[in-house]
Amino acid sequence: MDLLLVVSAFNSLSQRVYAELSDLGHRVDVVLASHGPDAVRAAVRERRPELILAPMLKSALPEDVWREHTCLIVHPGPPGDRGPSSLDWAIAEAAPHWGVTVLQAEAAMDAGPVWAAEPFPVPAAGKSDLYRGEVSDAASAAVLLAVRRYGDGSYKPRPQTGPDVRVVWRDAFRQERRRIDWADDDTDTVLRKLRGADSQPGVLDEILGRQVFLHGGHPEDRLRGRPGELLATRNGAVCRATRDGAVWIPELRPRKSSGDPAPFRRPAASVLASFPPPGAARTAGPRSGDRPSWLPEDPAPLELPRDRHTWTDIRYEQRGDAGFLTFSFPGGAMSTDHCRRLLAAYRYALTRPTSVLVLGGARDFFSNGIHLNVIEAAADPAGESWLNINAIDDLVEAVLRTTDRLVVAALGGNAAAGGLMLALAADEVWCRTGAVLNPHYRRMGLYGSEFWTYTLPRRVGARTAVRLTDEALPVSAATAARIGLVDRLVPVPAREFTAETGRMAGALAAGPGLAERIAAKAAARRADEEARPLAEYRRAELARMRTVFFDPRAPYHALRSAFVRKQPAGSARPLSPVGEQTTGGLA
C-alpha cells in the first residue's frame, strides 16, 4: 500500500514504524507535522496515500484530512485512555501494566474506533527508556496489525464503548505535579517523579537559587545528608539527598529564561560548575569546567560489589570465560569524557582472563556517537568536536586491534552514526529485534569517522555501504541482519535482553572451535593491516572531519545548534523522513 506517516518528529518510534512497514513492501512517505497543517495537506494531495498513520503526533491532524481519509493514530495508552500525557500518568500512578492503542482519528481526542491494541508491562525504568522499549514493541505490533486489517478490508474497528472499556480522561501532566518536595518525598517518590520526566520535560527545581530541570534519577545506597542537599558528583552526575536516602541525577537543563547560553540538557556536574558555589557573592564572575570544585567526587569501582545499589554509567563483570563491559549514557551520546573512561574500562577488561568480551548489553540505547550537547556548550565547539571524535576513534581502534579474544557488541536498543560504527568494530554484533539502526552521518553535515570506511564495507559490501550512508534512512533490525550489518537477532523484550545476552555469551565462550576463531581473527587483522593500515583509514577520515569542524561556514555548526536547541534546521524536504530525530549524539 501507499502509506503516509504524519509525525511531529521523526523519532525512534516513527523510524521503527517507517522501517518495518518498508520491510513489508509498503511504499512509505513521511511528512513533519511541525511544518504546519498546509504541509500535511500538500503531502496528502501529492502522494494520495491509501492510509495515513500518525505514530508520534503532538498536534491535531487537519480536520479536512481526517474527514476525507482514513487516519490511524498511535496512542500510548490502553483503550479508553484519553489525554496528552498517558505515559506520565502510568508512571506516576505506578501502573503495573499499560497499553498502546491504534485508533481512528475523530473530532474528540483519542476517542475514535480501535483498529488494534497491545498491552505491555511497566518496568521501573525512565519514561524515555520505556517508550523506546515496551511502548515501541507494543506500538509496532499494533501498527502492523492495524495496517494488515485495513489492507484486507474484512475488519470492522470497534468503538471505545461498552462494559469492557473504561473511559478515563487524564489532563496534561504539568510541572506542579512533577515538583519534588525534598523535605517530605521519600526516595521512591523522588525517583518516580524523576523517571517520569527523564528525557522530556524534566522536573523543574531550584539549585543554588537558579531554576533548572532535572533529568533522570537513580538510587544511592550510602551517601546521606539533609533533604535537598547536594552531596557529591560522579562521572558527570550529581547526588542529592532525600529525606530517607539519596538519588543520582545525571543531567540538568538550565531554564531558557535564566539567560544561560546553553539552555539544554548536559551532564549535571558541568552545569553546576558554572554556578557560584554556596555562600559566594551573586556578583561573582562566570565559572566553567567539568565539575564544581566545591563538591567531592565520589567514585564507584568498575566491578561493583553485588551488595551495592548505586549508580555508575560503566560497569564490568566477569562470569566464567565471558566478560561484560556494560555502559549506559543518557540519550546514547558519548562525550570526550565518556569515551576516555570507557576506553580505560575496556583496557582493564582486556587484562582479565576471558575468551569473550561483551560490550553493551543494557536495555535502551547502545550509542549514538559524539555528544552534540556537550560540544555545543563548549567554549570552543570546533575544538571540542575534534577532541570528541579523536576520543571515540581511540576507543574504536582499541576494539579493532583486540586479537586475543572475541568481542561482541550487544545492542539492546537503538544505535546511530559513530555509535553504530563502534559496534561494527566488534567481531559479532547481537541486536534486539526492536532496535533501529542509523548507519550514516549526513543529516548532521558530517563525513564520519570511527573507521567506518573500513568496517561498514567489510560487513555489507562497498555498494551497500554507499547506499546506506547516502540515503541516510533508518534500518530495522531485521534488515540489518539480512544485509550483514548485524550477526544475530535477539528476539526478547527489552527487560530480558541483558539476561539473554549473558546466556548467549556463556554459550559462545564454552562452544567448540573458539580458539580457532580467535586465531583466524588475528590472522585476518594482520592481513588487513598489511593491505591498508588502520592508521591510514583514520588519517583519511579525520582529515575530512577536521575540515568541517574548523570551517565556521560548514553546515555542521548550524545543524548541530538547531538539533541541540530543538529548533528547525532550515528547509527540510517534507516528503522524506528527515530532521527532527531525538537522539543526543551523532558522528
Side-chain angles (χ1 to χ4, degrees):
M1 285 192 291
D2 287 320
L3 307 176
L4 178 66
L5 303 189
V6 182
V7 299
S8 294
F10 197 50
N11 70 342
S12 58
L13 177 56
S14 303
Q15 291 180 31
R16 180 173 178 178
V17 169
Y18 172 89
E20 293 184 352
L21 288 171
S22 299
D23 285 352
L24 293 174
H26 298 292
R27 294 171 295 279
V28 188
D29 285 297
V30 180
V31 61
L32 296 177
S34 55
H35 289 169
D38 287 343
V40 175
R41 294 186 180 99
V44 172
R45 286 195 303 269
E46 182 176 338
R47 294 304 186 192
R48 298 182 178 274
E50 298 171 65
L51 179 64
I52 297 172
L53 295 162
M56 186 273 184
L57 196 61
K58 294 183 178 179
S59 57
L61 286 168
E63 182 176 351
D64 53 314
V65 170
W66 61 258
R67 285 196 181 278
E68 296 171 14
H69 304 268
T70 301
C71 299
L72 302 186
I73 310 293
V74 176
H75 176 67
D81 175 80
R82 299 178 187 177
S85 303
S86 183
L87 279 184
D88 303 78
W89 284 102
I91 294 171
E93 296 176 353
H97 293 85
W98 205 240
V100 170
T101 306
V102 177
L103 51 89
Q104 192 162 334
E106 285 189 351
M109 184 178 184
D110 304 326
V114 174
W115 282 83
E118 287 286 334
F120 61 84
V122 181
K127 182 174 67 173
S128 58
D129 185 351
L130 174 66
Y131 182 82
R132 287 184 291 266
E134 284 77 7
V135 174
S136 178
D137 288 350
S140 171
V143 166
L144 297 183
L145 176 59
V147 170
R148 186 164 65 249
R149 284 172 168 173
Y150 181 84
D152 66 28
S154 62
Y155 182 78
K156 183 178 181 180
R158 52 188 176 85
Q160 295 190 60
T161 57
D164 59 331
V165 177
R166 178 171 173 259
V167 176
V168 179
W169 173 265
R170 293 177 171 87
D171 292 331
F173 205 91
R174 304 192 183 281
Q175 283 294 339
E176 307 88 74
R177 296 183 180 274
R178 303 184 193 278
R179 193 173 301 279
I180 295 171
D181 186 333
W182 293 98
D184 288 342
D185 289 345
D186 61 17
T187 300
D188 287 344
T189 300
V190 171
L191 286 172
R192 189 161 56 248
K193 290 179 177 180
L194 290 170
R195 288 171 173 166
D198 62 342
S199 177
Q200 288 294 330
V203 175
L204 184 61
D205 200 8
E206 185 175 292
I207 295 179
L208 301 178
R210 298 192 182 188
Q211 288 193 322
V212 294
F213 291 91
L214 317 179
H215 291 272
H218 306 271
E220 161 59 23
D221 57 355
R222 294 183 179 178
L223 297 177
R224 296 293 183 267
R226 299 184 307 276
E229 181 184 5
L230 300 176
L231 304 176
T233 59
R234 177 185 296 159
N235 299 334
V238 62
C239 188
R240 196 169 189 186
T242 65
R243 71 171 174 82
D244 62 346
V247 296
W248 288 98
I249 303 168
E251 293 185 314
L252 299 177
R253 174 168 59 92
R255 198 169 192 178
K256 288 184 178 179
S257 59
S258 67
D260 192 297
F264 41 81
R265 288 168 51 195
R266 55 192 198 274
S270 67
V271 175
L272 287 181
S274 67
F275 291 6
R282 292 187 178 273
T283 57
R287 290 164 173 80
S288 63
D290 294 331
R291 55 175 302 274
S293 59
W294 42 271
L295 276 178
E297 178 77 0
D298 184 66
L302 189 59
E303 295 193 68
L304 200 67
R306 292 188 178 275
D307 63 345
R308 291 297 311 273
H309 299 282
T310 186
W311 172 86
T312 181
D313 52 5
I314 304 173
R315 299 187 183 197
Y316 179 77
E317 182 182 3
Q318 184 173 335
R319 298 198 292 273
D321 289 331
F324 300 85
L325 184 57
T326 306
F327 55 93
S328 180
F329 305 123
M334 295 172 62
S335 67
T336 302
D337 175 66
H338 289 139
C339 294
R340 288 172 176 170
R341 289 192 291 107
L342 187 53
L343 175 58
Y346 184 81
R347 287 171 173 162
Y348 171 81
L350 293 182
T351 68
R352 310 306 299 152
T354 61
S355 55
V356 173
L357 175 58
V358 177
L359 291 178
R363 55 176 290 154
D364 205 12
F365 284 121
F366 179 79
S367 172
N368 287 314
I370 62 176
H371 204 310
L372 300 178
N373 290 41
V374 169
I375 290 169
E376 181 69 11
D380 177 9
E384 182 58 36
S385 297
W386 184 246
L387 289 175
N388 203 164
I389 200 69
N390 274 279
I392 196 170
D393 274 10
D394 290 343
L395 173 62
V396 175
E397 184 168 358
V399 177
L400 287 170
R401 293 193 183 279
T402 301
T403 56
D404 64 343
R405 68 199 73 198
L406 288 187
V407 181
V408 174
L411 281 58
N414 303 344
L420 179 53
M421 303 313 166
L422 167 62
L424 299 190
D427 303 298
E428 291 193 13
V429 179
W430 300 347
C431 182
R432 196 178 82 84
T433 48
V436 177
L437 309 181
N438 278 278
H440 55 81
Y441 305 82
R442 189 165 62 86
R443 299 284 181 217
M444 201 52 58
L446 293 173
Y447 177 75
S449 193
E450 298 95 4
F451 300 88
W452 77 267
T453 53
Y454 169 62
T455 58
L456 188 58
R458 182 178 64 167
R459 279 190 160 268
V460 303
R463 180 175 297 180
T464 300
V466 169
R467 177 178 61 80
L468 291 173
T469 53
D470 284 353
E471 288 182 351
L473 295 175
V475 176
S476 70
T479 291
R482 177 176 56 81
I483 65 178
L485 201 60
V486 305
D487 300 287
R488 298 179 67 177
L489 294 178
V490 186
V492 297
R495 63 187 179 279
E496 298 176 13
F497 183 76
T498 299
E500 180 63 13
T501 54
R503 184 196 66 77
M504 293 168 62
L508 178 61
L514 184 60
E516 290 79 4
R517 283 193 64 186
I518 295 172
K521 164 190 174 174
R525 175 84 287 281
R526 288 193 297 270
D528 284 356
E529 188 71 13
E530 291 176 3
R532 187 184 182 191
L534 286 178
E536 177 58 24
Y537 287 98
R538 179 169 180 163
R539 185 205 62 77
E541 291 172 358
L542 286 179
R544 299 186 66 161
M545 293 290 274
R546 185 179 180 87
T547 298
V548 172
F549 288 158
F550 291 96
D551 178 2
R553 297 166 297 179
Y556 160 70
H557 301 289
L559 290 169
R560 182 194 67 239
S561 181
F563 174 85
V564 166
R565 299 171 191 275
K566 301 188 184 301
Q567 298 170 345
S571 55
R573 302 190 308 276
L575 290 176
S576 62
V578 298
E580 306 167 29
Q581 301 182 26
T582 58
T583 54
L586 197 71

